[in-house]
Amino acid sequence: MSLAQLYYIYDPMCSWCWGFAPAWAALKAGLPEGVSAERLLGGLAPDSDVPMAPALQRQIQQTWRLIEQRLGTPFNHDFWEVCLPKRSTYPACRAVIAARFWEAEEAMIKAIQEGYYLRALNPSEAATLVQFAHELGLPAEAFAERLYAEQTELRLQEEIEQCQEWGIHGFPSLVLKYRGKLMPVTVDYQNPSAMIREIRQLLGWNA
């Protein structure tokens, strides 16, 4: 039984979340006994079929290069040449929720991030998300139905609203819940042990 919960608020198409992925994996593995790791989808950008404005494309490309320089995170910049970028991450968020039915949430997150950032594929497109499901061995037709299901949309909105209630608007973010109290945890992209120490301090579990 977990005594405390560490919530990771993210979006599968958030480039800083891609940069944080190794640190998040190490943080989860090193959490003190009694602390569970939970994910919440923050929802970075609502549905849109409108091509991304050139200025925003340039801004995001600059962010990718900044993350590369600071963290050494790999990016495939061919994406901006071979895909039609859209400011739309909700479809990818729904794909993560749909994958939970087959207990494949983590695998879907990895597929979306690697597909987007390494393979120059576009997770804003439903066909791309169904392709990921197929590659993961999930039934493509059933997955496509769940992707558009009302229950999936409701769950996404619930998670987004929860994040907003907590005052979370930037990703990635970490929130520790203990005895009904919510405490922010500093996101450290390169030092998971620092985050673990901070969590122990917030819990008063230094002994």
Side-chain angles (χ1 to χ4, degrees):
M1 177 181 176
S2 63
L3 302 175
Q5 296 79 39
L6 177 67
Y7 288 93
Y8 173 44
I9 295 94
Y10 76 106
D11 186 291
M13 290 182 67
C14 161
S15 53
W16 283 105
C17 295
W18 169 237
F20 186 62
W24 168 240
L27 174 58
K28 283 193 300 178
L31 283 176
E33 186 176 353
V35 181
S36 64
E38 315 285 345
R39 293 188 192 87
L40 280 177
L41 289 158
L44 184 61
D47 297 299
S48 175
D49 284 326
V50 178
M52 190 182 295
L56 183 55
Q57 291 190 41
R58 290 192 295 270
Q59 178 183 332
I60 295 175
Q61 290 179 66
Q62 289 172 358
T63 299
W64 287 19
R65 287 191 287 269
L66 177 63
I67 297 170
E68 279 181 326
Q69 293 166 3
R70 288 191 179 178
L71 305 178
T73 307
F75 287 87
N76 185 344
H77 296 274
D78 289 346
F79 172 83
W80 302 99
E81 303 297 329
V82 300
C83 292
L84 179 64
K86 301 174 184 176
R87 186 64 169 169
S88 181
T89 72
Y90 280 22
C93 292
R94 292 190 195 95
V96 170
I97 294 172
R100 292 174 185 168
F101 181 77
W102 293 276
E103 298 182 352
E105 176 179 8
E106 194 163 338
M108 179 57 71
I109 294 169
K110 183 179 180 182
I112 291 170
Q113 291 181 326
E114 292 184 353
Y116 184 23
Y117 295 114
L118 301 182
R119 300 170 63 191
L121 300 174
N122 194 347
S124 294
E125 304 288 353
T128 303
L129 299 168
V130 174
Q131 175 187 336
F132 293 156
H134 176 73
E135 292 174 353
L136 292 173
L138 307 183
E141 186 174 339
F143 177 84
E145 290 177 0
R146 285 198 167 268
L147 191 60
Y148 292 105
E150 181 180 1
Q151 183 179 5
T152 301
E153 174 64 18
L154 289 173
R155 182 58 191 168
L156 173 59
Q157 294 304 322
E158 286 173 2
E159 295 194 22
I160 291 172
E161 288 170 11
Q162 180 68 83
C163 297
Q164 291 174 345
E165 285 178 13
W166 290 353
I168 303 296
H169 299 288
F171 316 122
S173 289
L174 295 168
V175 175
L176 184 66
K177 186 176 183 179
Y178 182 52
R179 294 179 176 174
K181 185 178 180 181
L182 297 173
M183 297 169 281
V185 176
T186 304
V187 172
D188 193 318
Y189 292 87
Q190 296 176 300
N191 192 356
S193 60
M195 294 184 285
I196 293 169
R197 286 195 300 271
E198 182 176 349
I199 289 166
R200 296 188 70 90
Q201 291 169 356
L202 289 170
L203 294 169
W205 294 0
N206 291 322

